Amino acid sequence: MHKIDHAAILFAYLSRITRADMENILERDKVCLHAAMNLGNSAQLSAQAGMYGAVANAVNNLREYDVALIDKTLKGFKPNI
């Protein structure tokens, strides 16, 4: 897969994630960056777990219609080889 292929997949999700979930992900990203720059390994792992949790929560909050639309988009996706 090329970078443009990854962009298409990311776009499919980002276009359906709510603003509140996106803001939560961005806030967790700030926590991860702070931990990476200033704290030890344990804090970094904790921050990464929080980031994963925020992403998982955002996906869990998608409506079934949105998930079906993403699935349809990805199934019809032809990698740019």
Side-chain angles (χ1 to χ4, degrees), residues 40-62:
N41 287 343
S42 178
Q44 291 174 29
L45 290 172
S46 178
Q48 290 171 6
M51 176 74 156
Y52 182 84
V55 171
N57 188 57
V59 172
N60 284 334
N61 287 340
L62 291 173

